[in-house]
Amino acid sequence: MLNASTKEAIKAALAVTLALYLAMWFQLEKSYWAATTVAVMALNETFAHSLQKGRNRVFGAIFGIGYALFLLSVFPQDRFLFIAFYTLFLGLSLFMSSNEKLGYIFVQGFTVCTVICCMGGFNSDYTFYYMVLRIQETALGIMVFTLVYKLVWPITTQTVFIQQYIKLRDTLSLALEKFEDGTLSSDDIKHIRQSENKLHQFLLLPNKDSYELLFYKKKWLERLYEIKIIAYLLENSKANSDELMKYLPYIKHNLSVFCTTKPPQPLLPLSLLESTKHCVTHHPRSYHRTLKQHIQDDSLKVAQGVSMFIASILFWIYLPIPGGFIFPMLAGILAANLPQLPPSVIKDAFWGTIGFGCFYLMQFVFILPSFTEIWQLASFYLINVFAIWMLFKSPRMVIFRVLAVNLLLTFTSGALNLTPSYNISIPLMMMVYLLLVLMIAKLFASLFNPRVSYGLPH
């Protein structure tokens, strides 16, 4: 019997391979764009999270294409204004990246804008072609992911939700016992609040594949609200000790007999709900920032990304670096993504690029040119993606999973062309440029985050 991680690896490998095959069958030039869309969606926790990511990816692509049209039509002959407005978009994307609803749309929009501007080469025919192609590849990737993940060992959001709720219910029962024993800690309450907030976010996702969860959504929101009240009473147990002790047997009994498939039975009596409604809201506990707080939280990130990009552009212009727009394209994409991550990720990405890059380049040189059939190429990507998902299945290793699958698809993209090309100079040049950009990123990450980078005291 296959375990869950093996099943997920098989589904991811099948979806990526099928996306590549269909893209080549439809004679779409950049077939790895569809595969990348599948890989990004496969990294999410639930199917509903993946659909949300796919929808935001489409919105981001449209947004990025619109801004690319603006730049290319208004500033095609003015290098300074073009870079200025492009950098302004980078700063806005970094500033909005922490927004729960719009962050991914802005970052994806900037990424697509970068790809369109650089690959189009200020040629109107090429630019329009890549705009249409990007939308086609993204849509194809979403459809393939949905097909595979709905048919092969489907796991609905409802299944994950119920599993998480059962864990929360057990944690809550244990917390009530600790309250009686006088051993309850603030970490226990914090864990309950985080789990409740996470389940609340599940209910806000597009859950059309989970009919019962959608049907009982209102009841589940009521149950989570009651759990929030219990957490509030536990947190303020000194002031509400008598009231909580009064209802404790009732709460423990309802938690033990609660049916997760049909949640209409309340956990708390109506009298307790009425007495606490002025203390607890129905909304999930989230940090609603003012504009001033937003600026304080994200200004450093914006400064880091913009500085990194400007330094890379100056590096590209005045060295100068050959290879056309490849170097600024990599610099722009990484400048929009790296400042959001801990500085230690840059070091992992640097060594990962060397290790994975050399491994995939060796396969590109010694294995791929010998393939003469499409099934051989499909088997190559199927095996590699499966290995990536199995080797880096730990949550702490997700960065290597993201890096490995992107390098696999990018460095071997010559074999996916409508007319295959096995020229190693382009992927080798991309690897060198990627390492240069990561070194520039490390420099500015250390300048803007010295305490984290060098382990200094706060």
Side-chain angles (χ1 to χ4, degrees):
M1 196 69 180
L2 300 176
N3 57 32
S5 59
T6 304
K7 290 179 180 179
E8 287 300 309
I10 293 173
K11 288 194 292 184
L14 280 174
V16 169
T17 305
L18 183 59
L20 288 172
Y21 175 81
L22 290 177
M24 289 187 289
W25 188 64
F26 289 127
Q27 297 188 351
L28 300 178
E29 185 177 347
K30 303 294 181 182
S31 55
Y32 62 90
W33 283 351
T36 303
T37 298
V38 171
V40 168
M41 295 179 69
L43 291 168
N44 291 278
E45 185 175 7
T46 66
F47 184 72
H49 280 100
S50 299
L51 290 182
Q52 185 183 54
K53 181 63 71 69
R55 180 186 62 188
N56 289 343
R57 197 172 177 87
V58 172
F59 290 156
I62 296 172
F63 182 34
I65 287 172
Y67 198 82
L69 281 174
F70 163 72
L71 291 176
L72 295 171
S73 59
V74 178
F75 310 115
Q77 302 298 327
D78 195 320
R79 182 175 69 178
F80 176 78
L81 286 178
F82 182 92
I83 294 177
F85 276 85
Y86 177 85
T87 306
L88 184 65
F89 188 27
L90 169 61
L92 178 63
S93 299
L94 285 169
F95 184 72
M96 293 297 297
S97 62
S98 59
N99 186 284
E100 292 181 1
K101 294 183 178 179
L102 303 176
Y104 186 75
I105 295 176
F106 272 87
V107 174
Q108 181 63 20
F110 178 80
T111 301
V112 172
C113 176
T114 301
V115 171
I116 297 300
C117 290
C118 292
M119 298 191 73
F122 292 89
N123 182 296
S124 57
D125 293 336
Y126 286 149
T127 299
F128 179 77
Y129 171 72
Y130 284 122
M131 287 178 180
V132 175
L133 184 63
R134 184 73 185 198
I135 293 294
Q136 290 176 325
E137 298 274 10
T138 302
L140 176 62
I142 293 172
M143 288 188 289
V144 169
F145 174 87
T146 304
L147 176 67
V148 171
Y149 277 71
K150 288 283 285 184
L151 296 179
V152 182
W153 295 305
I155 300 178
T156 63
T157 307
Q158 177 179 329
T159 303
V160 180
F161 180 90
I162 295 299
Q163 291 173 350
Q164 295 292 330
Y165 180 82
I166 292 173
K167 290 181 181 179
L168 175 57
R169 185 183 63 178
D170 295 340
T171 302
L172 195 58
S173 300
L174 181 61
L176 292 174
E177 293 179 4
K178 287 184 176 181
F179 167 73
E180 290 183 292
D181 299 336
T183 58
L184 184 67
S185 66
S186 58
D187 289 338
D188 295 325
I189 299 172
K190 182 180 178 181
H191 180 61
I192 293 171
R193 290 191 181 281
Q194 289 175 342
S195 300
E196 181 274 326
N197 192 35
K198 183 178 180 180
L199 289 174
H200 195 123
Q201 298 299 332
F202 276 9
L203 295 175
L204 303 181
L205 294 170
N207 291 313
K208 294 182 180 180
D209 64 315
S210 304
Y211 303 108
E212 289 188 9
L213 190 63
L214 192 63
F215 182 78
Y216 289 111
K217 178 179 178 179
K218 184 178 179 181
K219 293 296 182 181
W220 276 117
L221 288 171
E222 291 175 358
R223 301 296 80 80
L224 294 179
Y225 174 63
E226 291 171 335
I227 291 176
K228 187 180 292 187
I229 291 177
I230 297 172
Y232 167 79
L233 293 173
L234 290 173
E235 187 176 33
N236 300 274
S237 56
K238 292 183 179 179
N240 304 287
S241 179
D242 295 338
E243 188 174 25
L244 184 56
M245 290 299 296
K246 176 183 176 182
Y247 295 108
L248 195 58
Y250 181 90
I251 297 172
K252 293 177 69 175
H253 175 265
N254 286 354
L255 281 173
S256 63
V257 301
F258 183 78
C259 178
T260 54
T261 56
K262 295 181 180 181
Q265 180 183 349
L267 299 176
L268 301 178
L270 184 60
S271 57
L272 185 57
L273 290 172
E274 288 294 328
S275 63
T276 56
K277 66 180 181 180
H278 64 284
C279 303
V280 183
T281 65
H282 278 275
H283 303 291
R285 291 176 64 92
S286 57
Y287 181 42
H288 299 285
R289 297 176 294 178
T290 63
L291 179 60
K292 183 179 179 180
Q293 292 170 326
H294 203 341
I295 293 173
Q296 290 175 347
D297 292 342
D298 297 320
S299 57
L300 198 65
K301 180 171 59 179
V302 172
Q304 178 185 337
V306 169
S307 301
M308 169 190 162
F309 175 71
I310 293 175
S312 300
I313 291 297
L314 294 175
F315 196 70
W316 174 61
I317 293 173
Y318 292 107
L319 249 179
I321 295 178
F325 295 102
I326 294 179
F327 186 82
M329 181 176 69
L330 292 174
I333 293 173
L334 292 180
N337 289 274
L338 289 180
Q340 307 172 47
L341 304 173
S344 60
V345 170
I346 299 176
K347 181 180 178 181
D348 294 336
F350 183 87
W351 293 112
T353 299
I354 294 175
F356 293 130
C358 292
F359 179 65
Y360 295 137
L361 286 178
M362 289 175 63
Q363 294 186 80
F364 183 68
V365 172
F366 296 110
I367 298 177
L368 285 175
S370 63
F371 292 165
T372 58
E373 302 292 337
I374 187 66
W375 67 265
Q376 295 173 317
L377 191 63
S379 300
F380 169 81
Y381 286 101
L382 185 74
I383 294 170
N384 274 278
V385 175
F386 176 79
I388 290 170
W389 248 254
M390 288 301 295
L391 288 174
F392 307 109
K393 56 188 175 182
S394 169
R396 293 179 297 176
M397 306 292 282
V398 169
I399 179 62
F400 292 109
R401 182 183 287 184
V402 174
L403 181 65
V405 74
N406 275 280
L407 292 180
L408 168 67
L409 295 170
T410 304
F411 286 2
T412 63
S413 60
L416 301 171
N417 293 338
L418 300 181
T419 303
S421 171
Y422 299 101
N423 185 357
I424 194 176
S425 61
I426 295 177
L428 189 60
M429 181 175 60
M430 289 186 66
M431 180 177 172
V432 174
Y433 290 172
L434 187 56
L435 294 175
L436 286 174
V437 175
L438 287 171
M439 285 191 285
I440 295 173
K442 177 60 178 176
L443 171 64
F444 284 97
S446 300
L447 287 175
F448 285 93
N449 303 277
R451 291 189 175 91
V452 178
S453 299
Y454 300 109
L456 300 176
H458 290 275

